[in-house]
Amino acid sequence: MGLATLKGWPHRTPDTGHRTPDTGRLAAGAQTSPPTFGLSPEWLLHDGVPIADALVLSHPEQQERLKDVCPEAAHTGVLAGDPCFDRMLAARPYRERFRRALGVRPGQRLVVLNSTWNPESLFGDGGDENLLPALLPRLTSELPADEYRVAAVLHPNIWYGHGPGQVRAWLDRARRAGLTLVDPLRHWRQAILAADAVIGDHGAVSYYSAAIGAPVLLGAAPLAGLDPDSPVADFVAGAPRLDPYGPLAPQLDQLIAAHRPLAAAAEFTTSVPGQSAALLRRLFYGLMDSPETPDAPTASLLPLPRPPYEPARRTAPTLVVTRPTGRPGEVTVTRYADPRGRPWEPGGEVHMAVHEDVRDPGRLALADVIHREGAPDDPVLGGPARWTAEVLERFAQCGLAAYVTGADTCTVRTREGSLWCLTGTTGADPALYASAWYALLGAGESGFTVRTGSAVHPVTVTPG
């Protein structure tokens, strides 16, 4: 007895020969179109006999395609929904929790990149371009750090094929600029539920994202690898495309502003939403030739686990652009992590903020603001008063040292020696408050206001 599932990701695999309908073996000299991954005699038959007693399908359109491409296995098709999608549907009320777990701060957009694993994928090198390794650091450097949070979901085969060390090395610059790599087995669903925008390719994660209602921008879309009769091919053909060489923020603005949920994507993901647990249990009992017990507990799926809290940790140098608003004690701040070129509009004052754990320690000698995080009673760092004094003594050009002690609080020391505690109430990065205080030259000793994009962050100031 065997069981197989078909999730509906109809990639084609290379082929140059015709397979006879009774065995699936190649006939000499014959030609045909490539077989569809998981839905063709090559995948479903052995010596002309279905390898599985039941082939789980999520939508009747898959049954129709199964009849066309492999009639010998058509009788094994069972409509039982999509348990993966059902778990996502059940988890929608927890979207804000998932966003907080990923460190998305108030006023930020979460952009999730994803890549499947074949050479034509966003991470692959078999297409026209090798986009993702260059795109990720551009996203983390071009998008204002306080307005965007960036995460990536890479197919498990990418990790297994290249090794975790190599993948992290390739993406090191983006990670130091704030990129988070999401667990591709346990937490990818939570990431796309939390996302404001998804950038991807022709893989399952992009289609699930569209089905759940997220705006999707395709950076790689090889139609040649898809079954032209499949809903995935329709989605890929019609989805908006990423211009990898154009400014990224305007493309995301346009994607989100013009977005309308794709009803077809949700419809063809499953025709029986929320029912897969019950349908699968009925199938399993049937395969065992046993009736369902009347007192059996209600069939249900495991809820999606809450991801661990993982806020962005930027150790790359941050270029800070500040502009006074004209109101006393108020400043607009835009921060770019490790930018290349000039991603901001002309005007405003510019300074450099550098984390103490920066990869190139030589950058500390050029910093206007040096910051780090630590416990108030850290025995090694010595706490905020001692650490800030040591930093200003060591780096004569530094104008402000900031020690982040909590989610909303940091202690800063000015070049003149005064020590102040800055506390916000909106959940913004306390290092942002330090740069704003530096730009305001210490004005507003009882409090000040920081603007980032459309968000407003009041900050109170008390002696440290």
Side-chain angles (χ1 to χ4, degrees):
M1 180 173 64
L3 176 71
T5 61
L6 176 65
K7 291 186 175 296
W9 313 122
H11 301 284
R12 290 195 181 277
T13 52
D15 188 18
T16 58
H18 172 69
R19 284 165 168 76
T20 57
D22 59 332
T23 67
R25 296 192 180 95
L26 285 171
Q31 296 288 323
T32 186
S33 60
T36 299
F37 182 89
L39 192 64
S40 62
E42 291 81 356
W43 293 94
L44 301 177
L45 304 180
H46 177 68
D47 289 336
V49 178
I51 61 174
D53 295 286
L55 179 65
V56 176
L57 308 174
S58 65
H59 194 279
E61 70 86 17
Q62 296 166 9
Q63 182 72 60
E64 294 304 313
R65 284 194 287 132
L66 178 62
K67 290 178 182 178
D68 290 339
V69 300
C70 189
E72 299 88 350
H75 67 282
T76 68
V78 179
L79 182 64
D82 187 330
C84 175
F85 192 60
D86 282 355
R87 294 178 75 195
M88 294 174 65
L89 292 174
R92 285 183 297 181
Y94 305 109
R95 180 175 187 265
E96 289 303 317
R97 292 185 187 178
F98 298 153
R99 289 173 65 83
R100 290 194 294 271
L102 287 165
V104 181
R105 299 179 182 273
Q108 281 187 315
R109 288 173 171 174
L110 173 62
V111 180
V112 175
L113 285 90
N114 78 88
S115 176
T116 190
W117 62 277
N118 63 34
E120 288 72 35
S121 69
L122 193 57
F123 199 80
D125 59 3
D128 294 334
E129 299 170 273
N130 189 11
L131 290 178
L132 192 60
L135 180 61
L136 282 171
R138 280 192 59 209
L139 279 167
T140 51
S141 64
E142 284 188 29
L143 300 179
D146 298 296
E147 299 170 44
Y148 289 89
R149 176 82 168 96
V150 182
V153 177
L154 305 180
H155 194 284
N157 285 358
I158 294 174
W159 291 95
Y160 299 148
H162 299 291
Q166 180 63 76
V167 172
R168 291 191 174 95
W170 280 331
L171 303 181
D172 178 66
R173 181 187 159 202
R175 293 173 62 226
R176 288 185 285 108
L179 171 73
T180 289
L181 295 174
V182 176
D183 185 327
L185 296 177
R186 291 173 51 82
H187 300 139
W188 66 267
R189 303 169 189 84
Q190 298 88 319
I192 62 176
L193 281 165
D196 294 292
V198 174
I199 299 175
D201 53 23
H202 57 297
V205 174
S206 296
Y207 193 82
Y208 273 128
S209 300
I212 208 69
V216 178
L217 196 62
L218 295 186
L223 283 169
L226 299 174
D227 181 349
D229 297 325
S230 69
V232 176
D234 288 341
F235 160 70
V236 170
R241 297 294 194 269
L242 172 75
D243 176 3
Y245 303 108
L248 298 172
Q251 294 186 68
L252 290 169
D253 289 342
Q254 172 63 22
L255 174 72
I256 293 171
H259 174 64
R260 301 294 182 272
L262 299 176
E267 176 189 349
F268 284 108
T269 298
T270 176
S271 61
V272 283
Q275 301 180 47
S276 64
L279 292 171
L280 286 170
R281 185 172 70 174
R282 185 180 307 162
L283 170 63
F284 298 155
Y285 273 98
L287 290 172
M288 295 185 294
D289 197 23
S290 174
E292 294 185 72
T293 56
D295 59 344
T298 302
S300 61
L301 300 168
L302 287 175
L304 295 180
R306 177 171 56 85
Y309 179 57
E310 190 172 0
R313 187 172 189 268
R314 298 181 182 88
T315 60
T318 303
L319 192 143
V320 185
V321 183
T322 62
R323 296 179 176 87
T325 65
R327 302 181 184 91
E330 183 173 286
V331 63
T332 295
V333 179
T334 309
R335 300 190 299 163
Y336 299 93
D338 196 17
R340 297 293 191 268
R342 188 183 178 93
W344 65 93
E345 295 295 327
E349 297 294 325
V350 177
H351 70 264
M352 184 65 70
V354 180
H355 194 285
E356 189 183 35
D357 293 339
V358 64
R359 184 170 186 175
D360 177 6
R363 302 295 291 271
L364 292 167
L366 305 174
D368 301 295
V369 175
I370 297 176
H371 61 97
R372 74 158 303 115
E373 60 284 332
D377 57 351
D378 189 294
V380 176
L381 298 174
R386 181 173 179 177
W387 180 87
T388 54
E390 289 178 351
V391 166
L392 291 178
E393 180 180 0
R394 182 181 175 191
F395 298 101
Q397 89 299 333
C398 180
L400 188 78
Y403 187 96
V404 176
T405 55
D408 284 305
T409 304
C410 69
T411 298
V412 300
R413 186 184 295 275
T414 65
R415 174 53 61 186
E416 291 73 26
S418 57
L419 198 65
W420 302 93
C421 182
L422 313 181
T423 304
T425 59
T426 61
D429 180 2
L432 167 71
Y433 310 153
S435 278
W437 180 254
Y438 177 82
L440 289 168
L441 302 175
E445 293 189 356
S446 61
F448 59 92
T449 300
V450 188
R451 291 183 175 270
T452 58
S454 61
V456 180
H457 310 284
V459 182
T460 59
V461 180
T462 55

